[in-house]
Amino acid sequence: MMPAAACLPAGIEEQHLLAELRRLSWGAADILLAYGRGEQPPYGFPPALSVEEGGEGPVSAADLAVNQWLLDGLAAAFPDAPWTLLSEETAKEQLTPGQALDAEWLWILDPLDGTKDFLQGTGEYAVHLALARHGEPVLGVVLLPVMEELWFGLLADGADPAGAAGRAWRENRAGDQFAPALSPRRALGELVLVASRNHRDQRLEQLLAALELGDTKAIGSVGGKVATILRGETDLYISLSGKSAPKDWDMAAPEAVLRAAGGAFSHADGRALSYNDGDIRQAGCLIASHGASHRELCERAAAAMATIDPGFRV
């Protein structure tokens, strides 16, 4: 059975698009790795100045350089493409609260996901690129510069948020391709959770206790977390919003790759994630998993949250 065709804008040829995304992704990796080592970045970008010197600091310098590299690169490679470009760095200028962008096709970019990990030198940061149509992701790219992993996910029309309908793989710099290797674990008590080191509160701890999962692994960046599921090292990730919530650019690319690989990514009540809907926050109880136990995870999580935080919309 042939894999489902990717959903792309008219006039955009898949192999050409993938080739440009490879070039831009590895270029972004080189920029971030140079800034992370305190070296002169490539492609003419300025070295990072310390805040004391009047500069923006290494994170802002890296963010802005990769942002410019990606936006300029996509615009130059596809000058007539019928899409709009949105990134975390341009959102304040582009977005009006409560209003979606007038764009059938929208790139949602995060030039540096995992700022604290970048600063701390853990290597657990990522670059996210996602192409959405009518608010649904159809293509995702997750780059892990330090691990030299480039993940691709292509979803077909009508892909189910709780199931697969596409193709996913990872590549190294040499272009070698490797299939995802989702774990065979099924029982909730065996499942390995991938969690954040920095974003945990009492409600999440109560939810995890109610789910009675197995081991836990701490990894930075949503893209990095999802990559552990794709490699079979872990089985699920839970985002539970509180005073703050992840944004569209945190979730769109990892969601696309995971679902294309056969995993699932949805709200605990089964609702699909929605992008470019006038609210960039991805609020609620979001569950990403290897797919096989997703329905049970969602049902258990929704029931637990009804007790932990009544009235909270999962």
Side-chain angles (χ1 to χ4, degrees), residues 169-182:
W169 68 94
R170 68 176 168 89
E171 299 183 2
N172 57 24
R173 281 188 185 257
D176 302 318
Q177 296 187 358
F178 306 88
L182 304 180

Side-chain angles (χ1 to χ4, degrees), residues 84-160:
T84 299
L85 305 175
L86 170 71
S87 83
E88 181 178 12
E89 301 302 325
T90 64
K92 287 183 179 179
E93 290 74 35
Q94 285 182 269
L95 298 178
T96 300
Q99 295 182 21
L101 288 172
D102 183 14
E104 176 185 358
W105 297 94
L106 179 68
W107 279 103
I108 305 171
L109 310 179
D110 190 343
L112 177 55
D113 185 60
T115 299
K116 289 185 178 178
D117 287 275
F118 182 82
L119 272 176
Q120 295 165 358
T122 68
E124 296 170 3
Y125 59 88
V127 178
H128 297 170
L129 302 90
L131 179 62
R133 184 188 191 194
H134 296 308
E136 297 182 11
V138 298
L139 182 156
V141 181
V142 173
L143 167 71
L144 306 176
V146 173
M147 296 190 72
E148 297 212 329
E149 287 188 359
L150 182 59
W151 287 94
F152 287 98
L154 290 160
L155 288 159
D157 268 326
D160 184 345

Side-chain angles (χ1 to χ4, degrees), residues 11-307:
I12 301 298
E13 197 272 322
E14 181 181 307
Q15 291 308 311
H16 179 211
L17 177 58
L18 293 177
E20 289 299 323
L21 290 172
R22 289 184 184 99
R23 179 183 67 82
L24 292 172
S25 295
W26 292 120
D30 291 336
I31 294 168
L32 288 171
L33 290 168
Y35 277 117
R37 292 190 295 256
E39 299 173 355
Q40 172 68 46
Y43 312 116
F45 290 105
L49 299 175
S50 69
V51 176
E52 290 77 11
E53 295 172 311
E56 296 285 347
V59 172
S60 292
D63 260 329
L64 294 172
V66 174
N67 184 66
Q68 183 180 338
W69 169 255
L70 295 176
L71 294 181
D72 289 353
L74 282 169
F78 303 97
D80 301 317
W83 54 44
T84 299
L85 305 175
L86 170 71
S87 83
E88 181 178 12
E89 301 302 325
T90 64
K92 287 183 179 179
E93 290 74 35
Q94 285 182 269
L95 298 178
T96 300
Q99 295 182 21
L101 288 172
D102 183 14
E104 176 185 358
W105 297 94
L106 179 68
W107 279 103
I108 305 171
L109 310 179
D110 190 343
L112 177 55
D113 185 60
T115 299
K116 289 185 178 178
D117 287 275
F118 182 82
L119 272 176
Q120 295 165 358
T122 68
E124 296 170 3
Y125 59 88
V127 178
H128 297 170
L129 302 90
L131 179 62
R133 184 188 191 194
H134 296 308
E136 297 182 11
V138 298
L139 182 156
V141 181
V142 173
L143 167 71
L144 306 176
V146 173
M147 296 190 72
E148 297 212 329
E149 287 188 359
L150 182 59
W151 287 94
F152 287 98
L154 290 160
L155 288 159
D157 268 326
D160 184 345
R167 294 167 281 149
W169 68 94
R170 68 176 168 89
E171 299 183 2
N172 57 24
R173 281 188 185 257
D176 302 318
Q177 296 187 358
F178 306 88
L182 304 180
S183 92
R185 293 178 289 269
R186 296 294 180 268
L188 264 57
E190 298 176 346
L191 299 187
V192 180
L193 172 81
V194 59
S196 172
R197 296 187 183 91
N198 304 309
H199 303 287
R200 298 177 73 125
D201 63 15
Q202 186 59 36
R203 291 154 60 250
L204 179 60
E205 298 296 345
Q206 290 177 274
L207 173 58
L208 297 180
L211 291 175
E212 298 181 307
L213 302 169
D215 293 336
T216 299
K217 183 173 184 176
I219 293 288
S221 167
V222 178
K225 292 178 178 69
V226 167
T228 66
I229 301 175
L230 293 164
R231 293 188 219 104
E233 299 163 4
T234 68
D235 304 295
L236 75 149
Y237 159 59
I238 298 176
S239 170
L240 186 63
S241 59
K243 293 180 180 178
S244 63
K247 308 296 191 296
D248 282 5
W249 41 81
D250 296 310
M251 298 303 196
E255 179 198 350
V257 178
L258 181 59
R259 286 174 49 208
F265 206 142
S266 72
H267 286 263
D269 62 3
R271 285 182 298 126
L273 278 65
S274 174
Y275 301 93
N276 190 33
D277 60 5
D279 183 357
I280 59 170
R281 299 173 302 157
Q282 291 291 339
C285 180
L286 280 54
I287 301 178
S289 81
H290 62 2
S293 308
H294 195 77
R295 177 171 294 183
E296 184 180 2
L297 282 166
C298 287
E299 290 173 351
R300 290 272 294 271
M305 287 307 300
T307 300

